[in-house]
Amino acid sequence: MSSEEQLSAIKGAKVLMVGAGGIGCELLKTLALSGFQDIHIIDMDTIEVSNLNRQFLFRQSHVGQSKAKVARDAVLRFRPNISITPYHANVKESGFNVDFYKEFDVVLNGLDNLDARRHVNRLCLAADVPLVESGTTGFLGQVTVHLKGKTECYECQPKPAPKTYPVCTITSTPSKFVHCIVWAKDLLFAKLFGDKNLENDLNVRSSDATNLSEHSEDVFECRKGKDIEQYGRRIYDHVFGHNIEVALSNEETWKNRNRPRPIYSKDVFPDKLTKENGKTEKGSATDDVSAMASLGLKNPQDIWSLAENSRVFYESLRLFFLKRQKEIGNLTFDKDDQLAVEFVTAAANIRASSFGIPLHSLFEAKGIAGNIVHAVATTNAIIAGLIVIEAIKVLKKDSNSYRMTYCLEHPSKKLLLMPVEPYEPNKSCYVCSEALSELPSPVISGTVLTIEDLQQEFSCRINIKHREEFDEEREPDGMLLSGWVEAPVDKNNNKSIGNGESTSSALSMEEIQEGEKDVEIQETSESAENVTGKKRKLSEVSKGTIPDHSGLPDESSRNQNQLEKLDVDDEDDELIISNDWESLTKKKRL
């Protein structure tokens, strides 16, 4: 039973929710049922069909509508006496400024990308408003509490960069299915259906035009009136046959690698594709908008044979040119575009077959192509409940009870929920630490400060000028910010010094005075331990494990003593978890 103090804190609170997706739907419901009376929601997204399996406040009839507004209406049906204010907008819009955040007692995040999380973190710090962060990835989840000056801010520990793959590996020596997916999505799909001026390594042409004359011209050009079947075969033979043969000609590459196998259409296709696909006339249009539907392939979790992948490859290509001709030239891969997913899955599987890599189902391929770790509704519900628990502690100012809680996939010390005390602020954090107070030289009139924020690709210089008096009504802050101008030009190469860029040598005071003043501040003054459960810094974990979503993880290969960092852009991601909880709960930070 809630205490009177707790009920009073809940009813009098004004809460800001950011995100109305998987966690957001559960969070809004839990807040409403817990007695919160004044809730505001920001979300820029509209409802998609793929959301319906876990975002329970939405129905088929809501597809295309604002998530924030539909979520509000759904909750008001069973809690009609509370106030819910939705904002169908981007949280980074200028209207959601420091003054806006100051209106709230606590901010609760249910976001799905790193950039927005950083933005909200900085505004909460500026407004001095507590932030409760969250994230889920499959069965894993976390809830963290951030209070200015008392706990780490969201950016106190560095976040690992998204995983990337060398171009040479993607184009020449793939060894994992994810390499084939990236090739099919970012190279082949983009070349066929995207910007026609795009140049990439798919444009390999034979130096012997007499033997392979078709490669002396751009094989990707589909001239008006061209037979689609012949065009499909030409593309197939070029990327899966000719390009592989060209790669094989470099014997040095394959000394310590398995040699790939060139695959040509004549080896896998019937004489007449249209006859095989049940069409009475080649190139005839049907009502199908899916290659799977056209070919009678119903289960997306089936792994297709090479012949089936080849038929899907051709049929999806045919449907793009017959039914979506107007879009060709401007298309980009979208994980919610069924035909695009079918094409990429088939192309990736054919390439995988050539390089001896195990084939994958469309369901698996879609997850890899869209950086998806499939969401689990139960995990979202658990995390939402933990967010509300921490929010109540924040409202009661019960700082001794704050916990950062991790939801585990497998029991550790017989626990599936592992609480850890919040971490103290990182003194070297460039976001929340008071670095200026520790400068060797004081910031006084005439000081020039160079400000660089590499993560947000922003840089500027601030010229400090002292002024004795300010108008209390017009300038109540005792300072004046002025003089924003265009970025300076590097005289050595005539290049503008843009956000995040800098010259190799510092500018002299003469250059500053004659060049420009980026930002000018006038001010009235010339001057300006151990907590239980400390975690290891991410920078100190030399080999953090990042899961490879190209297949199911091998349990035997999991390193139980390493910190894992999951950062994917599907649903409420950003997750730090560890199976070595003993190291996280030591008295001293390692």
Side-chain angles (χ1 to χ4, degrees), residues 90-100 119 123:
N90 189 330
V91 71
K92 297 183 72 173
E93 289 183 7
S94 59
F96 304 123
N97 52 25
V98 174
D99 290 336
F100 175 81
H119 182 78
L123 281 169

Short mmCIF file of all heavy atoms in Angstrom, two decimals, residues 90-100 119 123:
data_model
loop_
_atom_site.label_atom_id
_atom_site.label_comp_id
_atom_site.label_asym_id
_atom_site.label_seq_id
_atom_site.Cartn_x
_atom_site.Cartn_y
_atom_site.Cartn_z
N ASN A 90 9.42 16.25 -33.01
CA ASN A 90 10.78 15.81 -32.73
C ASN A 90 11.25 16.44 -31.43
O ASN A 90 11.14 17.66 -31.24
CB ASN A 90 11.70 16.23 -33.88
CG ASN A 90 13.08 15.62 -33.79
OD1 ASN A 90 13.59 15.36 -32.71
ND2 ASN A 90 13.70 15.39 -34.95
N VAL A 91 11.78 15.63 -30.53
CA VAL A 91 12.22 16.14 -29.23
C VAL A 91 13.32 17.18 -29.37
O VAL A 91 13.56 17.96 -28.45
CB VAL A 91 12.69 14.97 -28.34
CG1 VAL A 91 14.02 14.40 -28.83
CG2 VAL A 91 12.80 15.39 -26.88
N LYS A 92 13.99 17.23 -30.54
CA LYS A 92 15.06 18.19 -30.75
C LYS A 92 14.58 19.53 -31.29
O LYS A 92 15.39 20.42 -31.55
CB LYS A 92 16.11 17.59 -31.69
CG LYS A 92 16.79 16.34 -31.13
CD LYS A 92 17.86 15.80 -32.05
CE LYS A 92 19.08 16.70 -32.05
NZ LYS A 92 20.21 16.11 -32.82
N GLU A 93 13.27 19.68 -31.46
CA GLU A 93 12.75 20.97 -31.94
C GLU A 93 13.02 22.06 -30.91
O GLU A 93 13.05 21.81 -29.69
CB GLU A 93 11.25 20.85 -32.22
CG GLU A 93 10.95 20.00 -33.44
CD GLU A 93 9.46 19.94 -33.76
OE1 GLU A 93 8.68 20.67 -33.10
OE2 GLU A 93 9.08 19.15 -34.64
N SER A 94 13.17 23.28 -31.39
CA SER A 94 13.59 24.40 -30.54
C SER A 94 12.60 24.71 -29.42
O SER A 94 12.97 25.24 -28.38
CB SER A 94 13.81 25.66 -31.38
OG SER A 94 12.62 26.00 -32.09
N GLY A 95 11.33 24.37 -29.63
CA GLY A 95 10.33 24.66 -28.60
C GLY A 95 10.54 23.87 -27.32
O GLY A 95 10.14 24.30 -26.23
N PHE A 96 11.18 22.72 -27.44
CA PHE A 96 11.47 21.90 -26.26
C PHE A 96 12.84 22.31 -25.71
O PHE A 96 13.81 21.56 -25.80
CB PHE A 96 11.43 20.41 -26.62
CG PHE A 96 10.14 19.98 -27.25
CD1 PHE A 96 10.11 19.38 -28.50
CD2 PHE A 96 8.93 20.19 -26.59
CE1 PHE A 96 8.92 18.97 -29.07
CE2 PHE A 96 7.73 19.80 -27.17
CZ PHE A 96 7.72 19.20 -28.41
N ASN A 97 12.87 23.51 -25.14
CA ASN A 97 14.12 24.08 -24.68
C ASN A 97 14.28 23.92 -23.16
O ASN A 97 13.50 23.21 -22.50
CB ASN A 97 14.21 25.56 -25.08
CG ASN A 97 12.97 26.33 -24.64
OD1 ASN A 97 12.28 25.95 -23.69
ND2 ASN A 97 12.67 27.43 -25.33
N VAL A 98 15.27 24.59 -22.60
CA VAL A 98 15.55 24.47 -21.17
C VAL A 98 14.36 24.92 -20.33
O VAL A 98 13.98 24.26 -19.35
CB VAL A 98 16.81 25.28 -20.79
CG1 VAL A 98 17.02 25.27 -19.28
CG2 VAL A 98 18.04 24.71 -21.49
N ASP A 99 13.73 26.01 -20.73
CA ASP A 99 12.56 26.49 -19.98
C ASP A 99 11.43 25.45 -20.00
O ASP A 99 10.72 25.29 -19.01
CB ASP A 99 12.07 27.82 -20.56
CG ASP A 99 13.03 28.96 -20.27
OD1 ASP A 99 13.79 28.86 -19.29
OD2 ASP A 99 13.03 29.95 -21.02
N PHE A 100 11.27 24.79 -21.12
CA PHE A 100 10.24 23.75 -21.21
C PHE A 100 10.54 22.62 -20.23
O PHE A 100 9.65 22.16 -19.50
CB PHE A 100 10.20 23.21 -22.65
CG PHE A 100 9.26 22.06 -22.85
CD1 PHE A 100 7.90 22.26 -23.03
CD2 PHE A 100 9.74 20.75 -22.85
CE1 PHE A 100 7.04 21.19 -23.22
CE2 PHE A 100 8.89 19.67 -23.04
CZ PHE A 100 7.53 19.90 -23.22
N HIS A 119 20.72 14.37 -26.45
CA HIS A 119 20.06 15.67 -26.46
C HIS A 119 19.21 15.87 -25.20
O HIS A 119 19.30 16.92 -24.54
CB HIS A 119 19.17 15.77 -27.71
CG HIS A 119 18.47 17.09 -27.85
ND1 HIS A 119 19.10 18.23 -28.32
CD2 HIS A 119 17.18 17.45 -27.57
CE1 HIS A 119 18.23 19.23 -28.32
NE2 HIS A 119 17.07 18.79 -27.88
N LEU A 123 19.72 18.61 -21.98
CA LEU A 123 18.68 19.55 -21.56
C LEU A 123 18.29 19.32 -20.10
O LEU A 123 18.01 20.28 -19.37
CB LEU A 123 17.46 19.42 -22.48
CG LEU A 123 17.60 20.13 -23.83
CD1 LEU A 123 16.48 19.73 -24.77
CD2 LEU A 123 17.62 21.64 -23.65
#
